[in-house]
Amino acid sequence: MAFSLKGKTAIITGGGSGIGKAISTTFAKQGAQVCILDFNKENGTSTVLEIINKNGAAHFYQCDVSNQKQINTIVTEIVKNNTIDILINNAGIAHVGNIENTNLEDLDRLYNVNIKGVYNGMKAVIPHFKKQQSGVIINMASIASSVGISDRFAYSMTKGSVLTMTYSVAKDYIANGIRCNSISPARVHTPFVDGFIKQNYPDNQAEMFENLSKTQPIGRMGKPEEIANLALYLCSDEASFITGTDFPIDGGFIKLNG
Ligand code: NAD
């Protein structure tokens, strides 16, 4: 089977919803044992059940990725009986605002999840990857990482760091058989986007959904499965020559807008 993940164990942060959920179900379908680390117990356990009901292998670990101790404890638990082959640092949160309406609390919150969470994930698995002399990391960045998005100061800042962390780790561990890449989606239709519209435009949600779709040259939002398929390719043995690269998946947003 092409893009098989049979026999591999994958840690997927934020795997209970949206893009992370699509990655979890896709990876399980391709034979991986999936370990979902998510803050939200209800979403995490329901995704695990969905996978198990389709004869896949999945486990849920409740976890705040900004908490290094929690991630370390979970990784130690997983490696007792398994190797870890793949880490998907996907958990992330958003904030709307330019620099003037981003306060220190907002900045710290975004930093803790979007930057420290990615750092914590990589820091926990890299010693195991080094021992194995193999491992694949995908960090979920955003189009905001490279071009910035207006009114998303803190989000753009943190997602920019995801790119540079990715390049740095790719360079430092290339000799250890570790590949590290990032994915930069434009807008993808997930609860993340629905929540954003509901919170910021409660009175004209349908219109805003339409407007957001139209900001992408392709005329629609991405689907979580489309991101999951790219992640699958990048984590598969077929992508063995790919490291230290960011992959925009954006319906033409970066190159075709204007
Ligand atoms: P989502 O809100 O649907 O899912 C995010 C998941 O992460 C949730 O299950 C949530 O419980 C979990 N999570 C949040 N904070 C956490 C924490 N501190 N610890 C553990 N789990 C936590 O979001 P999504 O749209 O699927 O986005 C996933 C990733 O993709 C994020 O990093 C986001 O920045 C990025 N992204 C999303 C879009 C988009 O348009 N949806 C575009 C570009 C990048």
Side-chain angles (χ1 to χ4, degrees):
M1 173 167 65
F3 313 121
S4 170
L5 299 181
K6 202 158 183 248
K8 305 205 180 202
T9 299
I11 291 180
I12 300 163
T13 71
S17 169
I19 294 170
K21 178 175 178 175
I23 294 175
S24 299
T25 52
T26 301
F27 280 25
K29 202 168 135 205
Q30 293 303 108
Q33 169 178 226
V34 167
C35 301
I36 294 177
L37 275 58
D38 203 300
F39 205 48
N40 185 317
K41 192 174 176 186
E42 203 182 322
N43 288 347
T45 47
S46 82
T47 304
V48 163
L49 268 182
E50 215 176 283
I51 290 172
I52 290 173
N53 285 340
K54 290 184 179 153
N55 296 320
H59 309 271
F60 173 66
Y61 301 86
Q62 191 167 23
C63 169
D64 176 351
V65 293
S66 66
N67 185 322
Q68 187 171 52
K69 209 167 149 202
Q70 282 182 17
I71 293 209
N72 287 346
T73 306
I74 291 165
V75 167
T76 305
E77 185 65 33
I78 295 170
V79 294
K80 272 188 195 155
N81 304 311
N82 305 280
T83 57
I84 299 175
D85 306 284
I86 295 165
L87 167 68
I88 310 286
N89 269 318
N90 164 77
I93 54 172
H95 173 258
V96 177
N98 59 23
I99 192 165
E100 288 172 284
N101 40 44
T102 301
N103 59 32
L104 268 179
E105 237 170 54
D106 300 324
L107 204 68
D108 285 347
R109 193 163 38 86
L110 273 273
Y111 169 80
N112 281 333
V113 179
N114 295 0
I115 297 182
K116 226 158 85 177
V118 170
Y119 158 83
N120 285 338
M122 294 199 287
K123 180 120 171 140
V125 303
I126 282 174
H128 303 288
F129 283 1
K130 269 176 84 180
K131 254 189 235 154
Q132 296 162 196
Q133 290 289 293
S134 69
V136 188
I137 299 168
I138 301 284
N139 295 322
M140 202 53 70
S142 160
I143 47 161
S145 305
S146 52
V147 295
I149 304 184
S150 49
D151 218 22
R152 302 286 187 286
F153 172 76
Y155 185 72
S156 300
M157 173 202 85
T158 57
K159 290 297 182 180
S161 292
V162 172
L163 282 200
T164 48
M165 285 191 284
T166 300
Y167 300 149
S168 177
V169 164
K171 276 192 180 148
D172 285 340
Y173 297 97
I174 193 164
N176 298 102
I178 300 171
R179 297 192 294 111
C180 183
N181 294 294
S182 56
I183 293 179
S184 284
R187 211 156 262 124
V188 179
H189 185 206
T190 67
F192 188 87
V193 171
D194 291 336
F196 161 77
I197 294 177
K198 199 169 166 189
Q199 190 184 339
N200 295 285
Y201 308 95
D203 300 329
N204 51 346
Q205 293 183 41
E207 189 191 334
M208 271 321 291
F209 186 89
E210 198 57 31
N211 287 352
L212 289 180
S213 302
K214 283 189 196 143
T215 59
Q216 319 213 98
I218 210 164
R220 65 169 175 86
M221 295 191 201
K223 299 174 193 158
E225 299 72 34
E226 291 171 319
I227 314 303
N229 286 334
L230 175 58
L232 171 63
Y233 169 63
L234 291 174
C235 290
S236 70
D237 292 341
E238 280 83 349
S240 50
F241 202 52
I242 300 178
T243 191
T245 304
D246 177 55
F247 290 84
I249 172 163
D250 64 359
F253 187 90
I254 289 179
K255 296 281 188 191
L256 307 184
N257 243 341

